[in-house]
């Protein structure tokens, strides 16, 4: 089951519709065009188009499964008492003094440039269930960092 925001769910559904209505016909057209070029046994363009179509169909299947298993988080029921999914956490790296701010989201909604990290990342896992003022040690690939939670808000 994948927990996600309504916004993330809506984006996923829109992307699925785009893949099915735009990309799938393009893939079929590319196969038909390559097939028209003759001998299929030595037609690398045909093989590439078939492989691209297979990747597209696999992606569509994964998205359909994610949508089917999605559980939309009721934002009104969330609390800013402790870090959880959909929490926006402002924190300070106690080693460097650097301030950071991340929103913890589902894997499908993660977008580091937008400050959204997946709940499965080491930082998110280290912050879960902690409260404002808590200092947590988080093991990341480069070692251990110590973070202080400065504030928690929703969304």
């Amino acid at each position: 089951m994948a927990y996600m925001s309504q916004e993330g769910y809506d984006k996923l559904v829109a992307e699925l519709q785009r893949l099915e209505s735009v990309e799938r016909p393009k893939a079929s057209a590319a196969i038909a065009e390559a097939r028209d070029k003759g001998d299929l046994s030595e037609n690398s363009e045909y093989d590439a188009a078939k492989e691209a179509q297979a990747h597209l169909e696999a992606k569509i299947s994964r998205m359909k499964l994610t949508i089917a298993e999605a559980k939309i988080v009721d934002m009104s029921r969330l609390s800013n008492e402790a870090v959880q999914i959909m929490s926006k956490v402002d924190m300070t790296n106690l080693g460097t003094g650097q301030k950071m701010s991340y929103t913890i989201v589902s894997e499908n909604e993660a977008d580091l440039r937008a400050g959204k990290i997946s709940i499965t990342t080491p930082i998110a896992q280290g912050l879960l269930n902690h409260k404002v003022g808590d200092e947590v040690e988080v093991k990341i690939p480069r070692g251990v960092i110590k973070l202080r939670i400065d504030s928690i808000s929703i969304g």
Side-chain angles (χ1 to χ4, degrees):
M1 183 177 300
Y3 289 93
M4 61 181 61
S5 67
Q6 183 67 52
E7 175 189 1
Y9 179 84
D10 292 344
K11 281 183 181 176
L12 197 59
V13 169
E15 176 64 6
L16 176 62
Q17 289 172 339
R18 186 188 72 77
L19 291 177
E20 289 180 326
S21 64
V22 176
E23 297 303 321
R24 186 180 268 163
K26 277 187 192 175
S28 294
I31 289 170
E33 185 178 318
R35 188 176 26 234
D36 290 343
K37 293 189 175 166
D39 184 10
L40 297 182
S41 64
E42 294 180 17
N43 189 336
S44 62
E45 200 174 313
Y46 177 78
D47 293 339
K50 287 292 281 182
E51 188 173 327
Q53 182 187 42
H55 286 295
L56 176 66
E57 292 302 326
K59 184 175 184 177
I60 287 171
S61 292
R62 283 191 308 272
M63 289 177 88
K64 283 183 174 181
L65 184 61
T66 300
I67 288 168
E69 294 178 343
K71 175 137 178 62
I72 297 171
V73 176
D74 182 353
M75 304 293 272
S76 68
R77 301 185 87 190
L78 296 178
S79 163
N80 60 358
E81 293 291 313
V83 177
Q84 59 192 324
I85 193 163
M86 302 301 168
S87 291
K88 181 175 189 257
V89 185
D90 295 319
M91 65 203 105
T92 303
N93 180 327
L94 297 174
T96 64
Q98 179 185 7
K99 301 272 186 193
M100 300 182 294
S101 181
Y102 293 118
T103 301
I104 298 173
V105 297
S106 70
E107 249 181 284
N108 296 316
E109 296 179 85
D111 179 359
L112 194 55
R113 280 180 259 150
K116 296 178 176 183
I117 61 171
S118 167
I119 195 163
T120 61
T121 62
I123 290 177
Q125 287 292 302
L127 294 170
L128 284 177
N129 300 317
H130 286 280
K131 299 176 181 341
V132 172
D134 285 359
E135 294 181 2
V136 296
E137 288 188 357
V138 178
K139 188 171 190 245
I140 59 172
R142 288 182 284 161
V144 175
I145 58 172
K146 194 166 185 181
L147 302 170
R148 181 186 64 232
I149 299 172
D150 299 325
S151 72
I152 302 169
S153 56
I154 302 302

